[in-house]
């Protein structure tokens, strides 16, 4: 069966919670577990038999980093990969409706839609098999997972028939408890979905035509009929129609909204590497650094044999790690330099940053509750009670930390040279 995949990568006005890291690189290209975030999606799509083309869709200006990534991904995965640029933010449904001819060209019988800011095992093949067993060839499938009762309110909630898994009710971020089954932002559609999105588009056009006379905004709050949200505008209407089904996964899943959640996502992917990519995990070797747990080290990185790395550490291209350095639960991006005896915990060290000798850079992990199998990562607020919430420490690109200082729970914007210790600060 000819298939396609669409990966929604958003645009520069999105990813604001990912700052200062998204200043340097589009968020979908941020390295998680050693490879760009969106590469995990592409790899999963490329493995599905019958995959004819993968389309990235968003409103980033095409830039050198994105073009270079697409060329190398095409060569590596042997699937045509193209970027379709929206002229504005059109919402999760508006973009695919705008480019429907491109998606349907070549006679695709079904296509996946994946949000770029999720990390998952991507059970795409299982979703295809599930659709063949449930519903007909024109039904649609949402990937769902179980959350705990309080956190479910932060997601799209799905009420399904326990026997058939047909979606009977869908509510995006409800104010009261609806269901523990949440939307994972990964969908399997047939071309028939465009008829349903088209109906929303026509309704939006009619509302907008009336708005000037009624002196009010349209129901989706936008001044453009093309802005369509799959979740609120399409799934809510499709629920109970016999056309929408949920495939529940027990595999790992998490959102990557904030920079802190990238460290948790990195842990999930590094964990998966032991099965999918054992060659990407560093091993303890004579004369090499001490490796604890799952660690990714780029081949060009220079690591002193007395350094101790892990668990959950990702070391980027051209990174230098000195003698006696300790790194745990952290991402160190390309060109960074950790001088002798530094300690880096729960931190993202930005590109080309330098940490001086005997300095300590530490954050507070924002992991889900380990005692709750259904807990998800909380979308942490930057401030609570007027104070910065303790979370992952982030050093933007080209930040210099002097020797023998301590940086705790802080966010340092790019191109800063610090002269002293900081705690719970945003350093502008």
């Amino acid at each position: 069966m000819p298939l396609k995949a669409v990966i929604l990568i958003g645009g520069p006005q999105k990813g604001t919670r990912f700052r200062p890291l998204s200043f340097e690189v589009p968020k979908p290209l941020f390295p998680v577990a050693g490879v760009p975030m969106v590469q995990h999606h592409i790899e999963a799509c490329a493995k599905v038999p019958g995959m004819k083309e993968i389309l990235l869709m968003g409103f980033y200006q095409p830039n050198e980093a994105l073009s270079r990534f697409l060329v190398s991904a095409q060569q590596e995965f042997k699937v045509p990969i193209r970027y379709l640029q929206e002229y504005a933010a059109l919402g999760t449904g508006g973009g695919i409706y705008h480019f429907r001819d491109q998606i349907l060209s070549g006679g695709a019988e079904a296509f996946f839609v994946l949000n770029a800011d999720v990390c998952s095992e991507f059970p795409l093949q299982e979703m295809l098999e599930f659709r063949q067993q449930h519903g007909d060839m024109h039904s649609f499938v949402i990937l769902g997972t179980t959350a705990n009762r309080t956190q479910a309110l932060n997601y799209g909630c799905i009420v399904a028939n326990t026997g058939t898994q047909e979606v009977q009710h869908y509510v995006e971020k409800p104010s009261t408890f609806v269901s523990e089954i949440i939307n994972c932002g990964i969908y399997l559609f047939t071309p028939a979905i465009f008829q349903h999105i088209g109906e929303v588009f026509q309704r939006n056009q009619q509302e907008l035509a009336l708005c000037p006379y009624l002196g009010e905004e349209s129901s989706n709050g936008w001044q453009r009929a093309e802005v369509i949200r799959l979740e609120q505008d399409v799934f809510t209407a499709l629920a109970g129609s016999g056309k929408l089904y949920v495939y529940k996964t027990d595999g790992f899943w998490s959102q990557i909204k904030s920079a802190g959640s990238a460290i948790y996502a990195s842990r999930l992917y590094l964990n998966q590497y032991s099965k999918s990519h054992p060659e990407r995990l560093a091993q303890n070797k004579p004369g090499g650094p001490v490796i604890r747990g799952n660690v990714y080290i780029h081949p060009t990185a220079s690591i002193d044999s007395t350094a101790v790395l892990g668990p959950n550490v990702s070391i980027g291209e051209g990174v230098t790690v000195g003698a006696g350095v300790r790194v745990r639960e952290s991402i160190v991006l390309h060109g960074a330099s950790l001088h002798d005896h530094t300690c880096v915990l729960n931190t993202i060290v930005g590109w080309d940053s330098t940490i001086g000798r005997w300095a300590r850079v530490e954050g507070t992990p924002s992991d889900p509750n380990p005692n709750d199998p259904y807990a998800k990562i909380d979308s942490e607020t930057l401030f609570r009670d007027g104070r910065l919430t303790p979370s992952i420490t982030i050093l933007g690109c080209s930040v210099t930390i002097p020797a023998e200082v301590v940086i705790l729970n802080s966010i340092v914007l790019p191109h800063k040279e610090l002269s002293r210790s900081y705690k719970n600060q945003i350093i502008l």
Side-chain angles (χ1 to χ4, degrees):
M1 180 167 68
L3 295 166
K4 288 199 182 184
V6 178
I7 303 171
L8 305 176
I9 66 170
Q13 75 197 48
K14 304 280 183 185
T16 49
R17 283 188 274 178
F18 215 70
R19 291 175 182 166
L21 302 167
S22 52
F23 289 149
E24 306 307 315
V25 64
K27 181 181 165 186
L29 297 186
F30 180 82
V32 177
V35 301
M37 192 189 292
V38 74
Q39 185 171 319
H40 296 286
H41 299 62
I42 291 172
E43 199 171 308
C45 293
K47 281 182 186 159
V48 179
M51 186 58 68
K52 298 287 177 243
E53 187 176 37
I54 298 171
L55 302 168
L56 270 61
M57 198 177 286
F59 51 100
Y60 287 100
Q61 290 295 328
N63 57 35
E64 196 192 336
L66 195 55
S67 309
R68 209 170 43 233
F69 168 72
L70 292 179
V71 170
S72 73
Q74 260 193 141
Q75 289 168 343
E76 185 176 346
F77 299 109
K78 312 286 186 285
V79 177
I81 303 172
R82 282 190 297 148
Y83 174 53
L84 302 176
Q85 187 193 359
E86 299 170 26
Y87 57 89
L90 298 177
T92 46
I96 62 172
Y97 189 65
H98 180 70
F99 288 113
R100 59 194 179 279
D101 293 345
Q102 306 264 25
I103 294 169
L104 297 178
S105 69
E109 289 177 31
F111 62 98
F112 290 99
V113 173
L114 305 91
N115 283 288
D117 63 355
V118 299
C119 117
S120 171
E121 267 180 318
F122 301 111
L124 306 183
Q125 188 62 43
E126 292 87 328
M127 289 172 76
L128 278 169
E129 290 162 8
F130 170 85
R131 191 180 67 116
Q132 284 162 358
Q133 293 156 4
H134 297 70
D136 58 24
M137 291 313 286
H138 298 294
S139 57
F140 317 121
V141 181
I142 300 177
L143 183 68
T145 189
T146 310
N148 64 34
R149 287 178 74 97
T150 34
Q151 288 181 317
L153 305 178
N154 302 323
Y155 300 92
C157 292
I158 301 164
V159 178
N161 178 311
T162 47
T164 62
Q165 301 306 321
E166 186 211 323
V167 176
Q168 295 170 322
H169 190 48
Y170 182 91
V171 191
E172 186 67 23
K173 295 183 180 167
S175 50
T176 57
F177 177 75
V178 171
S179 166
E180 290 168 345
I181 306 302
I182 61 166
N183 174 0
C184 290
I186 298 167
Y187 316 120
L188 173 58
F189 293 140
T190 64
I193 193 70
F194 293 121
Q195 183 193 330
H196 300 285
I197 301 176
E199 288 165 8
V200 176
F201 176 62
Q202 284 166 340
R203 193 167 67 240
N204 286 353
Q205 276 186 317
Q206 288 162 357
E207 277 189 13
L208 281 170
L210 292 170
C211 282
Y213 306 110
L214 301 176
E216 61 184 40
E217 278 193 350
S218 66
S219 64
N220 67 7
W222 298 80
Q223 296 304 314
R224 266 203 186 104
E226 308 92 295
V227 176
I228 298 164
R229 304 156 304 180
L230 276 176
E231 298 78 14
Q232 294 96 317
D233 301 330
V234 180
F235 294 162
T236 309
L238 276 174
S241 67
K243 298 224 170 66
L244 191 60
Y245 289 80
V246 59
Y247 172 72
K248 286 185 276 195
T249 177
D250 295 325
F252 70 80
W253 179 87
S254 184
Q255 279 187 313
I256 310 178
K257 292 292 188 192
S258 63
S261 57
I263 289 185
Y264 179 62
S266 187
R267 183 192 309 159
L268 297 175
Y269 280 137
L270 285 169
N271 214 12
Q272 190 192 27
Y273 283 173
S274 54
K275 291 193 294 254
S276 63
H277 289 286
E279 75 285 356
R280 286 186 189 165
L281 293 176
Q283 306 295 332
N284 281 300
K285 292 179 185 153
V290 177
I291 305 296
R292 294 189 177 157
N294 296 323
V295 174
Y296 167 85
I297 301 175
H298 193 277
T300 58
S302 165
I303 317 282
D304 190 276
S305 62
T306 58
V308 180
L309 309 179
N312 185 21
V313 167
S314 175
I315 303 281
E317 195 178 335
V319 167
T320 310
V321 175
V325 169
R326 178 73 176 103
V327 186
R328 191 178 77 212
E329 297 284 340
S330 297
I331 295 173
V332 184
L333 298 167
H334 76 240
S337 181
L338 312 184
H339 291 183
D340 297 356
H341 307 294
T342 58
C343 184
V344 176
L345 312 172
N346 302 301
T347 293
I348 295 177
V349 179
W351 301 268
D352 301 314
S353 289
T354 304
I355 301 179
R357 290 165 60 95
W358 294 101
R360 183 182 184 92
V361 180
E362 185 174 356
T364 300
S366 44
D367 296 354
N369 177 356
N371 301 317
D372 179 352
Y374 300 124
K376 303 288 175 256
I377 197 157
D378 277 321
S379 51
E380 68 256 34
T381 49
L382 208 51
F383 294 95
R384 195 173 291 138
D385 304 327
R387 292 190 180 161
L388 188 65
T389 314
S391 66
I392 297 292
T393 287
I394 301 164
L395 309 183
C397 84
S398 303
V399 166
T400 305
I401 306 283
E404 299 181 26
V405 304
V406 177
I407 308 294
L408 284 180
N409 302 332
S410 294
I411 297 171
V412 185
L413 265 67
H415 309 289
K416 296 284 164 225
E417 258 190 63
L418 305 189
S419 55
R420 61 180 180 83
S421 295
Y422 287 91
K423 180 182 178 184
N424 299 343
Q425 300 276 322
I426 296 181
I427 300 158
L428 305 170

